[in-house]
Amino acid sequence: MSDVISGPRSGLGRRGFLFGGAAVGATLLAAGCTSNDSGDDRPETNTKAVGGDNAAKGTQVTIGFSAPQADHGWIGAIAKNAEAQAKTFEDVTFEPVEPTNDVAAQIAAIETLITKKVGVLVVLPNDGKQLTAVAAKAMAAGIPVVNLDRVFDSPLAYRTWIGGDNYGMGVSAGNYIAAQLKGKSNPVIAEIAGIDSLPLTQDRSRGFKDALARAGFKVTNRVAAEFTVASGQQVTSNLLQAAPKIDAVWNHDDDQGLGVLAAIRQANRSEFLMVGGAGSLDAMELIKADNSVLKATVTYSPSMASSAISIARLIGQKKGFSDLVENDVPASITLSSATVTKENVDQYLKTGFRS
């Protein structure tokens, strides 16, 4: 990979109940790579069949799907995983609409799915607040909505929400760094955030701060990028110039991490350890190789889209999770943020997405 990465890549922010069992498998349904040429023969998507009573073919369900346009690896993996998971079910008809980053266009597309009277909707909104009304309209029309990741403003707009744990990402990153720096006096700990105005970024930073504080540490240098390669490279260059010595860095997002790592190589810096965020395949491969500053990443897996399709199928068939006593699918599902290191990376490679 070249040390100089040019060309802007637009990035969007992303936003409890931990579920396992037969409905979607004991582990999260795995995410896929998103590059056209990944450089290996690993499949682009990885799905998992359901088990138990829920595995049997049931009532036919048409699932409408709407998500933003794939302008970076994480979003690309969301769409690929949803489609691939739908194909594993004989009793699911998958009806996606054209992906778009325009809020008005996404609202119009969802309106068409409501008019077609699909059985269930799975929606990753461009903006949760602005799409709340159309999601509530679907619910009022008797179409259950599975809200994927970026949460709508009202619980009346969705039947079930499923998404990642932004605060938990920060906690996982902070715990790992605290453990690695245990016993060190006044370490220099830097943070490379995403878009600061987004609640998800604020949650990640709060979790990181809280975990470090528990260990007696604090963030000493902080910059914010924009979830893009170019912005990651720029702000990291500024950070490295301002801090001649660093002990540890947490970068919130592995997509922007490509630029972060390019800036680190350009500056010829290697005295610190770095933790990434989201769990890209690029990051995991570097962790496995163990030849860079990147030693870990904390997951925010787009495998949630695969799980959302499985959940939508169960809701459409009026079923619940096989391993739970309750008859119905839970109203809220928060996915855990795992810490991926050289020791356990092989377990997570299949869930990685290509930046």
PDB file of all heavy atoms in Angstrom, residues 165-178 203-212 214 250 298 337 339:
ATOM      1  N   ASP A 165     -22.546  -1.281  19.392  1.00  0.00           N
ATOM      2  CA  ASP A 165     -22.390  -0.620  20.685  1.00  0.00           C
ATOM      3  C   ASP A 165     -21.247   0.379  20.599  1.00  0.00           C
ATOM      4  O   ASP A 165     -20.081   0.029  20.761  1.00  0.00           O
ATOM      5  CB  ASP A 165     -22.112  -1.680  21.753  1.00  0.00           C
ATOM      6  CG  ASP A 165     -22.047  -1.099  23.158  1.00  0.00           C
ATOM      7  OD1 ASP A 165     -22.171   0.139  23.308  1.00  0.00           O
ATOM      8  OD2 ASP A 165     -21.862  -1.877  24.108  1.00  0.00           O
ATOM      9  N   ASN A 166     -21.583   1.637  20.323  1.00  0.00           N
ATOM     10  CA  ASN A 166     -20.542   2.651  20.168  1.00  0.00           C
ATOM     11  C   ASN A 166     -19.815   2.930  21.479  1.00  0.00           C
ATOM     12  O   ASN A 166     -18.590   3.027  21.511  1.00  0.00           O
ATOM     13  CB  ASN A 166     -21.156   3.932  19.596  1.00  0.00           C
ATOM     14  CG  ASN A 166     -21.495   3.797  18.127  1.00  0.00           C
ATOM     15  OD1 ASN A 166     -20.628   3.647  17.290  1.00  0.00           O
ATOM     16  ND2 ASN A 166     -22.778   3.836  17.824  1.00  0.00           N
ATOM     17  N   TYR A 167     -20.567   3.057  22.558  1.00  0.00           N
ATOM     18  CA  TYR A 167     -19.935   3.243  23.862  1.00  0.00           C
ATOM     19  C   TYR A 167     -19.045   2.038  24.176  1.00  0.00           C
ATOM     20  O   TYR A 167     -17.914   2.185  24.659  1.00  0.00           O
ATOM     21  CB  TYR A 167     -20.999   3.420  24.944  1.00  0.00           C
ATOM     22  CG  TYR A 167     -20.445   3.619  26.335  1.00  0.00           C
ATOM     23  CD1 TYR A 167     -20.046   4.873  26.772  1.00  0.00           C
ATOM     24  CD2 TYR A 167     -20.320   2.537  27.209  1.00  0.00           C
ATOM     25  CE1 TYR A 167     -19.534   5.060  28.055  1.00  0.00           C
ATOM     26  CE2 TYR A 167     -19.808   2.702  28.490  1.00  0.00           C
ATOM     27  CZ  TYR A 167     -19.416   3.976  28.908  1.00  0.00           C
ATOM     28  OH  TYR A 167     -18.893   4.140  30.174  1.00  0.00           O
ATOM     29  N   GLY A 168     -19.546   0.849  23.890  1.00  0.00           N
ATOM     30  CA  GLY A 168     -18.777  -0.362  24.139  1.00  0.00           C
ATOM     31  C   GLY A 168     -17.497  -0.442  23.329  1.00  0.00           C
ATOM     32  O   GLY A 168     -16.497  -1.019  23.783  1.00  0.00           O
ATOM     33  N   MET A 169     -17.515   0.109  22.110  1.00  0.00           N
ATOM     34  CA  MET A 169     -16.278   0.173  21.320  1.00  0.00           C
ATOM     35  C   MET A 169     -15.204   0.939  22.070  1.00  0.00           C
ATOM     36  O   MET A 169     -14.048   0.511  22.164  1.00  0.00           O
ATOM     37  CB  MET A 169     -16.531   0.872  19.978  1.00  0.00           C
ATOM     38  CG  MET A 169     -17.180   0.044  18.912  1.00  0.00           C
ATOM     39  SD  MET A 169     -17.336   0.997  17.379  1.00  0.00           S
ATOM     40  CE  MET A 169     -15.641   0.995  16.798  1.00  0.00           C
ATOM     41  N   GLY A 170     -15.601   2.098  22.600  1.00  0.00           N
ATOM     42  CA  GLY A 170     -14.647   2.916  23.341  1.00  0.00           C
ATOM     43  C   GLY A 170     -14.137   2.220  24.582  1.00  0.00           C
ATOM     44  O   GLY A 170     -12.948   2.275  24.900  1.00  0.00           O
ATOM     45  N   VAL A 171     -15.045   1.520  25.264  1.00  0.00           N
ATOM     46  CA  VAL A 171     -14.644   0.782  26.460  1.00  0.00           C
ATOM     47  C   VAL A 171     -13.651  -0.322  26.106  1.00  0.00           C
ATOM     48  O   VAL A 171     -12.624  -0.497  26.770  1.00  0.00           O
ATOM     49  CB  VAL A 171     -15.872   0.198  27.178  1.00  0.00           C
ATOM     50  CG1 VAL A 171     -15.450  -0.752  28.289  1.00  0.00           C
ATOM     51  CG2 VAL A 171     -16.736   1.316  27.757  1.00  0.00           C
ATOM     52  N   SER A 172     -13.947  -1.074  25.047  1.00  0.00           N
ATOM     53  CA  SER A 172     -13.055  -2.159  24.638  1.00  0.00           C
ATOM     54  C   SER A 172     -11.670  -1.622  24.270  1.00  0.00           C
ATOM     55  O   SER A 172     -10.644  -2.200  24.660  1.00  0.00           O
ATOM     56  CB  SER A 172     -13.655  -2.923  23.455  1.00  0.00           C
ATOM     57  OG  SER A 172     -14.833  -3.599  23.837  1.00  0.00           O
ATOM     58  N   ALA A 173     -11.642  -0.530  23.510  1.00  0.00           N
ATOM     59  CA  ALA A 173     -10.362   0.066  23.125  1.00  0.00           C
ATOM     60  C   ALA A 173      -9.604   0.570  24.351  1.00  0.00           C
ATOM     61  O   ALA A 173      -8.388   0.366  24.491  1.00  0.00           O
ATOM     62  CB  ALA A 173     -10.584   1.208  22.135  1.00  0.00           C
ATOM     63  N   GLY A 174     -10.324   1.231  25.250  1.00  0.00           N
ATOM     64  CA  GLY A 174      -9.688   1.753  26.456  1.00  0.00           C
ATOM     65  C   GLY A 174      -9.167   0.652  27.361  1.00  0.00           C
ATOM     66  O   GLY A 174      -8.064   0.762  27.922  1.00  0.00           O
ATOM     67  N   ASN A 175      -9.924  -0.410  27.502  1.00  0.00           N
ATOM     68  CA  ASN A 175      -9.485  -1.530  28.343  1.00  0.00           C
ATOM     69  C   ASN A 175      -8.222  -2.188  27.788  1.00  0.00           C
ATOM     70  O   ASN A 175      -7.309  -2.543  28.547  1.00  0.00           O
ATOM     71  CB  ASN A 175     -10.598  -2.582  28.454  1.00  0.00           C
ATOM     72  CG  ASN A 175     -11.720  -2.154  29.371  1.00  0.00           C
ATOM     73  OD1 ASN A 175     -11.577  -1.231  30.165  1.00  0.00           O
ATOM     74  ND2 ASN A 175     -12.858  -2.821  29.266  1.00  0.00           N
ATOM     75  N   TYR A 176      -8.171  -2.351  26.470  1.00  0.00           N
ATOM     76  CA  TYR A 176      -6.997  -2.987  25.862  1.00  0.00           C
ATOM     77  C   TYR A 176      -5.754  -2.118  26.056  1.00  0.00           C
ATOM     78  O   TYR A 176      -4.689  -2.599  26.462  1.00  0.00           O
ATOM     79  CB  TYR A 176      -7.234  -3.230  24.373  1.00  0.00           C
ATOM     80  CG  TYR A 176      -6.024  -3.831  23.678  1.00  0.00           C
ATOM     81  CD1 TYR A 176      -5.775  -5.203  23.724  1.00  0.00           C
ATOM     82  CD2 TYR A 176      -5.120  -3.026  22.989  1.00  0.00           C
ATOM     83  CE1 TYR A 176      -4.661  -5.758  23.109  1.00  0.00           C
ATOM     84  CE2 TYR A 176      -4.005  -3.565  22.361  1.00  0.00           C
ATOM     85  CZ  TYR A 176      -3.780  -4.926  22.424  1.00  0.00           C
ATOM     86  OH  TYR A 176      -2.669  -5.469  21.819  1.00  0.00           O
ATOM     87  N   ILE A 177      -5.903  -0.833  25.780  1.00  0.00           N
ATOM     88  CA  ILE A 177      -4.755   0.072  25.924  1.00  0.00           C
ATOM     89  C   ILE A 177      -4.317   0.155  27.376  1.00  0.00           C
ATOM     90  O   ILE A 177      -3.113   0.128  27.681  1.00  0.00           O
ATOM     91  CB  ILE A 177      -5.105   1.465  25.356  1.00  0.00           C
ATOM     92  CG1 ILE A 177      -5.133   1.399  23.815  1.00  0.00           C
ATOM     93  CG2 ILE A 177      -4.107   2.531  25.827  1.00  0.00           C
ATOM     94  CD1 ILE A 177      -5.582   2.677  23.136  1.00  0.00           C
ATOM     95  N   ALA A 178      -5.276   0.223  28.294  1.00  0.00           N
ATOM     96  CA  ALA A 178      -4.936   0.287  29.720  1.00  0.00           C
ATOM     97  C   ALA A 178      -4.160  -0.952  30.153  1.00  0.00           C
ATOM     98  O   ALA A 178      -3.194  -0.863  30.929  1.00  0.00           O
ATOM     99  CB  ALA A 178      -6.206   0.436  30.553  1.00  0.00           C
ATOM    100  N   ASP A 203     -20.340   8.980  21.740  1.00  0.00           N
ATOM    101  CA  ASP A 203     -20.466   7.777  22.569  1.00  0.00           C
ATOM    102  C   ASP A 203     -19.160   6.998  22.618  1.00  0.00           C
ATOM    103  O   ASP A 203     -18.749   6.500  23.676  1.00  0.00           O
ATOM    104  CB  ASP A 203     -21.576   6.879  22.026  1.00  0.00           C
ATOM    105  CG  ASP A 203     -22.969   7.422  22.295  1.00  0.00           C
ATOM    106  OD1 ASP A 203     -23.103   8.323  23.138  1.00  0.00           O
ATOM    107  OD2 ASP A 203     -23.926   6.944  21.654  1.00  0.00           O
ATOM    108  N   ARG A 204     -18.499   6.862  21.471  1.00  0.00           N
ATOM    109  CA  ARG A 204     -17.226   6.135  21.422  1.00  0.00           C
ATOM    110  C   ARG A 204     -16.182   6.830  22.302  1.00  0.00           C
ATOM    111  O   ARG A 204     -15.461   6.175  23.063  1.00  0.00           O
ATOM    112  CB  ARG A 204     -16.734   6.024  19.979  1.00  0.00           C
ATOM    113  CG  ARG A 204     -17.593   5.137  19.120  1.00  0.00           C
ATOM    114  CD  ARG A 204     -17.120   5.066  17.668  1.00  0.00           C
ATOM    115  NE  ARG A 204     -18.076   4.305  16.863  1.00  0.00           N
ATOM    116  CZ  ARG A 204     -17.914   3.984  15.589  1.00  0.00           C
ATOM    117  NH1 ARG A 204     -16.823   4.385  14.944  1.00  0.00           N
ATOM    118  NH2 ARG A 204     -18.834   3.290  14.936  1.00  0.00           N
ATOM    119  N   SER A 205     -16.106   8.135  22.184  1.00  0.00           N
ATOM    120  CA  SER A 205     -15.128   8.888  22.976  1.00  0.00           C
ATOM    121  C   SER A 205     -15.426   8.801  24.464  1.00  0.00           C
ATOM    122  O   SER A 205     -14.509   8.686  25.292  1.00  0.00           O
ATOM    123  CB  SER A 205     -15.103  10.358  22.534  1.00  0.00           C
ATOM    124  OG  SER A 205     -14.519  10.496  21.251  1.00  0.00           O
ATOM    125  N   ARG A 206     -16.705   8.816  24.808  1.00  0.00           N
ATOM    126  CA  ARG A 206     -17.086   8.734  26.225  1.00  0.00           C
ATOM    127  C   ARG A 206     -16.699   7.367  26.802  1.00  0.00           C
ATOM    128  O   ARG A 206     -16.178   7.270  27.914  1.00  0.00           O
ATOM    129  CB  ARG A 206     -18.591   8.990  26.364  1.00  0.00           C
ATOM    130  CG  ARG A 206     -19.101   9.019  27.786  1.00  0.00           C
ATOM    131  CD  ARG A 206     -20.509   9.626  27.844  1.00  0.00           C
ATOM    132  NE  ARG A 206     -21.410   8.969  26.902  1.00  0.00           N
ATOM    133  CZ  ARG A 206     -22.146   7.893  27.178  1.00  0.00           C
ATOM    134  NH1 ARG A 206     -22.085   7.359  28.399  1.00  0.00           N
ATOM    135  NH2 ARG A 206     -22.946   7.361  26.280  1.00  0.00           N
ATOM    136  N   GLY A 207     -16.951   6.311  26.045  1.00  0.00           N
ATOM    137  CA  GLY A 207     -16.569   4.980  26.500  1.00  0.00           C
ATOM    138  C   GLY A 207     -15.064   4.843  26.678  1.00  0.00           C
ATOM    139  O   GLY A 207     -14.588   4.230  27.644  1.00  0.00           O
ATOM    140  N   PHE A 208     -14.316   5.414  25.734  1.00  0.00           N
ATOM    141  CA  PHE A 208     -12.852   5.367  25.795  1.00  0.00           C
ATOM    142  C   PHE A 208     -12.341   6.112  27.020  1.00  0.00           C
ATOM    143  O   PHE A 208     -11.506   5.606  27.793  1.00  0.00           O
ATOM    144  CB  PHE A 208     -12.297   5.988  24.511  1.00  0.00           C
ATOM    145  CG  PHE A 208     -10.812   5.828  24.321  1.00  0.00           C
ATOM    146  CD1 PHE A 208     -10.198   4.587  24.416  1.00  0.00           C
ATOM    147  CD2 PHE A 208     -10.024   6.929  24.008  1.00  0.00           C
ATOM    148  CE1 PHE A 208      -8.821   4.436  24.220  1.00  0.00           C
ATOM    149  CE2 PHE A 208      -8.667   6.797  23.803  1.00  0.00           C
ATOM    150  CZ  PHE A 208      -8.060   5.552  23.910  1.00  0.00           C
ATOM    151  N   LYS A 209     -12.886   7.299  27.232  1.00  0.00           N
ATOM    152  CA  LYS A 209     -12.492   8.120  28.383  1.00  0.00           C
ATOM    153  C   LYS A 209     -12.800   7.409  29.703  1.00  0.00           C
ATOM    154  O   LYS A 209     -11.964   7.376  30.618  1.00  0.00           O
ATOM    155  CB  LYS A 209     -13.221   9.466  28.326  1.00  0.00           C
ATOM    156  CG  LYS A 209     -12.923  10.389  29.495  1.00  0.00           C
ATOM    157  CD  LYS A 209     -13.728  11.691  29.386  1.00  0.00           C
ATOM    158  CE  LYS A 209     -13.499  12.587  30.584  1.00  0.00           C
ATOM    159  NZ  LYS A 209     -14.309  13.838  30.493  1.00  0.00           N
ATOM    160  N   ASP A 210     -13.986   6.819  29.784  1.00  0.00           N
ATOM    161  CA  ASP A 210     -14.394   6.144  31.024  1.00  0.00           C
ATOM    162  C   ASP A 210     -13.509   4.942  31.323  1.00  0.00           C
ATOM    163  O   ASP A 210     -13.128   4.704  32.477  1.00  0.00           O
ATOM    164  CB  ASP A 210     -15.847   5.708  30.928  1.00  0.00           C
ATOM    165  CG  ASP A 210     -16.827   6.875  30.977  1.00  0.00           C
ATOM    166  OD1 ASP A 210     -16.389   8.009  31.254  1.00  0.00           O
ATOM    167  OD2 ASP A 210     -18.028   6.652  30.714  1.00  0.00           O
ATOM    168  N   ALA A 211     -13.193   4.155  30.295  1.00  0.00           N
ATOM    169  CA  ALA A 211     -12.359   2.972  30.508  1.00  0.00           C
ATOM    170  C   ALA A 211     -10.945   3.357  30.927  1.00  0.00           C
ATOM    171  O   ALA A 211     -10.359   2.732  31.823  1.00  0.00           O
ATOM    172  CB  ALA A 211     -12.315   2.127  29.239  1.00  0.00           C
ATOM    173  N   LEU A 212     -10.403   4.386  30.306  1.00  0.00           N
ATOM    174  CA  LEU A 212      -9.057   4.843  30.683  1.00  0.00           C
ATOM    175  C   LEU A 212      -9.045   5.387  32.104  1.00  0.00           C
ATOM    176  O   LEU A 212      -8.111   5.133  32.879  1.00  0.00           O
ATOM    177  CB  LEU A 212      -8.568   5.918  29.708  1.00  0.00           C
ATOM    178  CG  LEU A 212      -8.242   5.471  28.278  1.00  0.00           C
ATOM    179  CD1 LEU A 212      -7.827   6.680  27.447  1.00  0.00           C
ATOM    180  CD2 LEU A 212      -7.136   4.421  28.269  1.00  0.00           C
ATOM    181  N   ARG A 214     -10.821   4.558  34.598  1.00  0.00           N
ATOM    182  CA  ARG A 214     -10.873   3.467  35.559  1.00  0.00           C
ATOM    183  C   ARG A 214      -9.476   2.911  35.854  1.00  0.00           C
ATOM    184  O   ARG A 214      -9.210   2.402  36.944  1.00  0.00           O
ATOM    185  CB  ARG A 214     -11.791   2.361  35.029  1.00  0.00           C
ATOM    186  CG  ARG A 214     -12.064   1.240  36.000  1.00  0.00           C
ATOM    187  CD  ARG A 214     -13.200   0.372  35.521  1.00  0.00           C
ATOM    188  NE  ARG A 214     -12.980  -0.115  34.153  1.00  0.00           N
ATOM    189  CZ  ARG A 214     -13.885  -0.783  33.452  1.00  0.00           C
ATOM    190  NH1 ARG A 214     -15.082  -1.007  33.973  1.00  0.00           N
ATOM    191  NH2 ARG A 214     -13.615  -1.214  32.238  1.00  0.00           N
ATOM    192  N   TRP A 250      -5.833   5.314  19.786  1.00  0.00           N
ATOM    193  CA  TRP A 250      -7.046   4.645  19.319  1.00  0.00           C
ATOM    194  C   TRP A 250      -7.627   5.433  18.156  1.00  0.00           C
ATOM    195  O   TRP A 250      -7.938   6.616  18.285  1.00  0.00           O
ATOM    196  CB  TRP A 250      -8.116   4.527  20.412  1.00  0.00           C
ATOM    197  CG  TRP A 250      -9.357   3.831  19.875  1.00  0.00           C
ATOM    198  CD1 TRP A 250      -9.376   2.780  19.008  1.00  0.00           C
ATOM    199  CD2 TRP A 250     -10.728   4.167  20.128  1.00  0.00           C
ATOM    200  NE1 TRP A 250     -10.675   2.417  18.715  1.00  0.00           N
ATOM    201  CE2 TRP A 250     -11.531   3.245  19.387  1.00  0.00           C
ATOM    202  CE3 TRP A 250     -11.363   5.116  20.911  1.00  0.00           C
ATOM    203  CZ2 TRP A 250     -12.921   3.281  19.399  1.00  0.00           C
ATOM    204  CZ3 TRP A 250     -12.758   5.142  20.936  1.00  0.00           C
ATOM    205  CH2 TRP A 250     -13.515   4.231  20.190  1.00  0.00           C
ATOM    206  N   VAL A 298     -11.344  -3.023  17.528  1.00  0.00           N
ATOM    207  CA  VAL A 298     -12.560  -3.352  18.266  1.00  0.00           C
ATOM    208  C   VAL A 298     -13.724  -3.359  17.273  1.00  0.00           C
ATOM    209  O   VAL A 298     -13.862  -2.466  16.453  1.00  0.00           O
ATOM    210  CB  VAL A 298     -12.808  -2.366  19.426  1.00  0.00           C
ATOM    211  CG1 VAL A 298     -11.756  -2.574  20.510  1.00  0.00           C
ATOM    212  CG2 VAL A 298     -12.796  -0.919  18.970  1.00  0.00           C
ATOM    213  N   SER A 337     -19.024  -5.400  21.244  1.00  0.00           N
ATOM    214  CA  SER A 337     -17.811  -4.992  20.540  1.00  0.00           C
ATOM    215  C   SER A 337     -16.642  -5.816  21.060  1.00  0.00           C
ATOM    216  O   SER A 337     -16.182  -5.637  22.182  1.00  0.00           O
ATOM    217  CB  SER A 337     -17.527  -3.496  20.754  1.00  0.00           C
ATOM    218  OG  SER A 337     -16.372  -3.099  20.040  1.00  0.00           O
ATOM    219  N   THR A 339     -12.721  -7.363  21.087  1.00  0.00           N
ATOM    220  CA  THR A 339     -11.352  -6.885  20.858  1.00  0.00           C
ATOM    221  C   THR A 339     -10.592  -7.965  20.090  1.00  0.00           C
ATOM    222  O   THR A 339     -10.421  -9.078  20.575  1.00  0.00           O
ATOM    223  CB  THR A 339     -10.644  -6.597  22.190  1.00  0.00           C
ATOM    224  OG1 THR A 339     -11.417  -5.640  22.932  1.00  0.00           O
ATOM    225  CG2 THR A 339      -9.242  -6.042  21.953  1.00  0.00           C
TER     226      THR A 339
END
